Every structure is written in structure tokens, then in C-alpha cells.
Amino acid sequence: VRADLLRSSRQFLFTQALVVKADGALVARTSAVYKWDPAPHETPDIVRRLTQASGDFLANPPEGFAQAPLLAPRGTMFVAARAHAAEMDQALADALPGTVREISRAEAMTRCPVLNPDWLDRALLNDEAQDMDVAAIHQGYLRGFKASGGTLVCDAQATRLDRADGAWRIDTPAGPFEAVTLVNAAGAWADEVAASAGVATVGVSPKRRTAFV
């Protein structure tokens, strides 16, 4: 997003773009691998549309963006006990045609032998889901950002934000910065930045995540 902002900024007469980041590394809070799923039945429709819209780019990135494919086949299997049959029916109904199919208990056990056969009642398989190489995606955008004249400053958490004379002043441990336009790209920490800038918050907060692989 930050790289695309810089590329599109020229039409708004911005000549420079600067990213100041609180962490010491660009991807300190990002997992190595994410899942790209064009038909996640458990997510809102807007998320599905955004995910589907990203498919062409991830499958066919611009020349020089990455040295290796950004997607790798993975697949996603959903399993349930008899008590959750209704949820499985709903998942099938909500899925895009041709993306999610029901598989036999035997195939599910072959794919994941640790499943308890006495518990397992039904299983669904989404063959379209793929692994995303998030590190390569980040590096591709970072190269494009820098090639377009962008500047990245790490270890620069905003300690004070003030607006005066048509410009923002951002005080950080790495020094002060000024900008005509300030983009709040702090993700789950966006409300903290918004409050520091004296603008309305939207009710987001960081949460602990746990992944079992």
C-alpha cells in the first residue's frame, strides 16, 4: 500500500514519500507465510472481493517484483463433528462455485492422519487456497517504494503529532519530520496514532494471535 501510494502520489502533486516505522525492522509483526484464499466462507463479502481482486497480481507480479513465485499450492481442509453438520452445509452454500467440495472421511484421514476417526463426521476441501510468500511480497513493494524515491526510517515511533501552517510535524526518536499529508498506516495501532494526531478514532486495537502449524 505504501509503495502504491507513492506511485499514485504524482497525480496529486506530491513529490516525496516518507514511511516512519516504530519497529526496528519493516516486517517485525508479520508472519512468514499467509494463506491466499479466493473463497473464504468464514469472511465478509468485502474481504472475499478484495482477496479475489489480488489474485492476478499475486499470480503474475510485475517483472522484477520478485525472484520466485509469490503463491504456492496448499489447499485448506475444514473438518467437523456430527453436531456441526449445519455449519458445513452453510460453508458449502456460501462458497464460490468450484472452489470448495466435500470429501470422504477416508480422504480426510489420509490428508491428516492425526484426526480422530471417532470424532470426524464430515470434511470440506478448498483446492484454491495457496500459501503467500509475505516476505517476498514485502521486499517487492519495498524495492518499488525506494526505486520511486521513497524513504523508509525505522525505529521512528511517532511521539508527538502536530499540525500547523498547513503541514504535519512528526516528532520521533530518529528526529523530526514534516509532511503536507499524513497517512495513518499503523494497522491495529491506528487508533493510537489517530489519538496522537487529535483526530477521531475508529475503535480498533491490537490483539494477540496464535497460530498452530
Side-chain angles (χ1 to χ4, degrees):
V1 172
R2 295 157 182 159
D4 285 340
L5 281 172
L6 179 56
R7 283 197 293 271
S8 63
S9 66
R10 291 178 174 79
Q11 62 182 305
F12 299 107
L13 303 182
F14 302 154
T15 58
Q16 293 179 315
L18 169 74
V19 170
V20 291
K21 186 167 176 62
D23 300 307
L26 183 64
V27 292
R29 290 189 176 94
T30 301
S31 301
V33 175
Y34 275 17
K35 182 185 73 171
W36 180 82
D37 187 346
H41 67 273
E42 71 276 15
T43 57
D45 182 63
I46 185 61
V47 176
R48 291 196 201 189
R49 295 188 183 191
L50 289 170
T51 303
Q52 292 159 15
S54 70
D56 287 343
F57 173 85
L58 293 173
N60 302 286
E63 184 176 355
F65 185 87
Q67 303 301 314
L70 301 179
L71 296 176
R74 168 66 63 179
T76 301
M77 186 168 68
F78 304 90
V79 295
R82 185 180 301 276
H84 297 281
E87 287 91 334
M88 298 296 269
D89 289 336
Q90 190 62 53
L92 277 172
D94 291 343
L96 291 177
T99 58
V100 177
R101 58 187 173 90
E102 187 155 11
I103 61 176
S104 67
R105 295 173 68 254
E107 181 177 349
M109 292 297 303
T110 299
R111 289 177 175 272
C112 187
V114 297
L115 287 171
N116 183 345
D118 296 328
W119 173 90
L120 178 64
D121 181 62
R122 295 175 64 184
L124 306 180
L125 183 66
N126 180 356
D127 291 310
E128 300 296 320
Q130 301 186 58
D131 285 343
M132 295 169 56
D133 189 338
V134 176
I137 294 170
H138 268 276
Q139 288 303 310
Y141 275 119
L142 181 59
R143 282 192 296 271
F145 178 75
K146 292 180 176 179
S148 298
T151 301
L152 172 67
V153 181
C154 293
D155 287 321
Q157 181 172 358
T159 56
R160 185 182 178 89
L161 296 167
D162 294 298
R163 184 167 177 80
D165 300 324
W168 288 95
R169 177 186 170 90
I170 306 100
D171 291 335
T172 80
F177 302 94
E178 289 190 355
V180 174
T181 301
L182 180 65
V183 177
N184 184 352
W189 291 265
D191 270 9
E192 296 180 16
V193 174
S196 298
V199 300
T201 59
V202 295
V204 299
S205 60
K207 304 292 185 180
R208 176 176 293 178
R209 297 181 301 174
T210 302
F212 295 91
V213 180

